[in-house]
Amino acid sequence: MAANVALLSAPSPSTSTASSILRRRPPPRRSARPRRAASSPSVVAAMSDDPIKEWILTEGKATQITGTSSIGGGCINAAQRYDTDAGSFFVKTNRRIGPAMFEGEALGLKAMYDTKSIRVPLPYKVGSLPTGGSFIIMEFIQFGRSRGDQVTLSRNPFRSKKKSALGRKLAEMHKAAKSDKGYGFYVENTIGSTPQINTWTADWIEFYSKHRLGYQLKLISQRFGDSAIYEKGQRLIDNIHPLFEGAVIEPCLLHGDLWSGNISSDTNGDPVILDPACYYGHNEAEFGMSWCAGFGGDFYSSYFEVMPKQPGFEKRRDLYLLYHYLNHYNLFGSGYRSSAMSIIEDYLRMLKA
């Protein structure tokens, strides 16, 4: 909507913190609407106690909030819809974690938005809550169907068409956004609630080995004392180079956490992706959550029409699943251990390591 103008500028190659991209909105156009009377000190004080309402009623260009409603925010954050006379806003809050998590999300959303490929909610404001915790305000997108419909396996031609659109638009985003800084991202962010290390690295295999697989294995060793999976995982890391022979790898902008819960469609039926854990990486790493995304043949066919399949794709698929299985082990416990260990041991046999 007209009121929902971006507050974030595109991250430049020299951007190092999310705060450096937060900008004020441009002055609104002149309007025949009468000016509001100046707020009384008590009203101003009340607004300052609620930075979300304060932003909506100032920078958000609303004169009144007409209603709020809770929306499922997952297991980490709470989410609400704010309806106003300037349109609706989507707000996520976390009462325990500071703004760094949402700053990373805002940077990722804006980077994806700027590719003008696939639809994502535009972020407006990240801040701290007075009682502790943080919030993010972003564009509210009305979803057309359930979030999982984009990737539901079905012979229904309409759903097949939507899966094709998702694959094509995701590939267009990967093709449009490349980094000249290497592999990584402007800030550290999170995958679920696990820290995701995004130190810029020139070599993809080094980046994925150290900051993805190695970091998750280290956390598992520290949290669960699981030396067996740690040692075998390190052996795999030391021997993965042959899996990339013949592949042309470029640092593409990735959503980073693409499962069915983070995929939806708007009222026009166009795909929408949200809740990212963005970084620049090998495009194939985007499919690491495919075990709970339901990507099918139509999705991959449409994707590879834009981003051609690289030699060795099938050999590397499980390597990218492994990162997310290890992360789920760290987040939710040993129920995911066997899946992760099975992938590691299969690779060790394949590579004779």
Side-chain angles (χ1 to χ4, degrees):
M1 295 190 177
N4 293 358
V5 179
L7 292 183
L8 300 178
S9 66
S12 66
S14 61
T15 304
S16 60
T17 63
S19 60
S20 67
I21 68 165
L22 293 174
R23 304 282 178 85
R24 295 182 61 83
R25 295 177 81 172
R29 293 180 179 178
R30 293 183 180 274
S31 170
R33 187 192 310 181
R35 288 186 177 181
R36 286 180 288 171
S39 301
S40 67
S42 61
V43 172
V44 173
M47 286 177 59
S48 65
D49 290 338
D50 190 335
I52 297 170
K53 289 182 179 178
E54 180 178 2
W55 185 90
I56 289 173
L57 295 173
T58 54
E59 299 290 332
K61 306 300 184 243
T63 62
Q64 60 178 330
I65 295 171
T66 57
T68 61
S69 55
S70 295
I71 303 174
C75 58
I76 299 173
N77 306 303
Q80 284 190 308
R81 170 179 174 173
Y82 281 69
D83 295 313
T84 80
D85 59 349
S88 297
F89 298 88
F90 180 70
V91 179
K92 291 200 296 187
T93 57
N94 190 297
R95 300 289 174 178
R96 303 182 311 279
I97 301 175
M101 177 180 69
F102 287 141
E103 287 171 351
E105 179 176 353
L107 269 173
L109 287 170
K110 187 57 169 58
M112 293 191 297
Y113 182 90
D114 285 343
T115 67
K116 297 179 174 59
S117 53
I118 192 165
R119 190 171 185 190
V120 299
L122 181 61
Y124 299 136
K125 176 68 175 178
V126 173
S128 299
L129 294 170
T131 56
S134 54
F135 68 90
I136 181 172
I137 304 172
M138 66 183 79
E139 174 189 8
F140 176 81
I141 297 176
Q142 183 67 56
F143 295 144
R145 290 174 174 262
S146 66
R147 294 175 93 173
D149 273 359
Q150 281 290 340
V151 290
T152 300
L153 298 178
S154 171
R155 294 182 180 178
N156 184 311
F158 177 66
R159 289 186 178 176
S160 177
K161 182 179 179 181
K162 292 201 299 179
K163 288 185 288 181
S164 298
L166 175 64
R168 184 181 69 257
K169 287 183 176 293
L170 187 67
E172 288 171 355
M173 183 182 83
H174 291 166
K175 188 174 184 178
K178 307 287 176 64
S179 169
D180 60 4
K181 294 172 70 66
Y183 302 93
F185 201 54
Y186 306 102
V187 296
E188 318 290 27
N189 51 25
T190 56
I191 179 77
S193 59
T194 307
Q196 186 164 254
I197 308 304
N198 293 317
T199 305
W200 292 111
T201 308
D203 180 75
W204 168 248
I205 298 176
E206 179 185 350
F207 177 87
Y208 192 70
S209 296
K210 181 178 180 180
H211 299 308
R212 293 297 179 261
L213 298 183
Y215 183 75
Q216 292 285 346
L217 289 166
K218 179 181 176 181
L219 288 180
I220 288 171
S221 178
Q222 293 172 341
R223 294 176 179 178
F224 303 103
D226 192 338
S227 59
I229 198 169
Y230 177 82
E231 291 168 3
K232 289 185 177 182
Q234 289 297 329
R235 279 170 51 200
L236 172 59
I237 287 172
D238 292 339
N239 290 276
I240 63 173
H241 283 77
L243 298 175
F244 294 88
E245 290 178 356
V248 177
I249 303 173
E250 297 179 290
C252 303
L253 178 64
L254 307 182
H255 174 283
D257 191 15
L258 201 61
W259 66 289
S260 59
N262 290 342
I263 303 168
S264 189
S265 58
D266 62 19
T267 53
N268 294 322
D270 294 324
V272 179
I273 56 176
L274 55 153
D275 294 343
C278 286
Y279 65 99
Y280 289 88
H282 186 198
N283 64 301
E284 294 174 10
E286 192 77 282
F287 310 134
M289 284 290 286
S290 60
W291 50 280
C292 54
F295 298 142
D298 293 321
F299 169 87
Y300 286 109
S301 295
S302 298
Y303 181 89
F304 289 131
E305 286 177 3
V306 180
M307 291 285 287
K309 184 189 294 188
Q310 291 291 311
F313 169 75
E314 286 78 10
K315 290 192 300 183
R316 290 185 295 272
R317 290 183 73 164
D318 285 357
L319 189 69
Y320 292 131
L321 301 184
L322 179 58
Y323 171 58
H324 294 278
Y325 276 120
L326 291 172
N327 184 49
H328 276 61
Y329 184 178
N330 274 308
L331 289 173
F332 306 115
S334 60
Y336 291 91
R337 182 184 188 276
S338 61
S339 296
M341 182 65 95
S342 177
I343 290 174
I344 292 171
E345 291 177 338
D346 285 348
Y347 273 117
L348 291 176
R349 283 190 291 270
M350 179 196 303
L351 297 166
K352 297 180 172 56

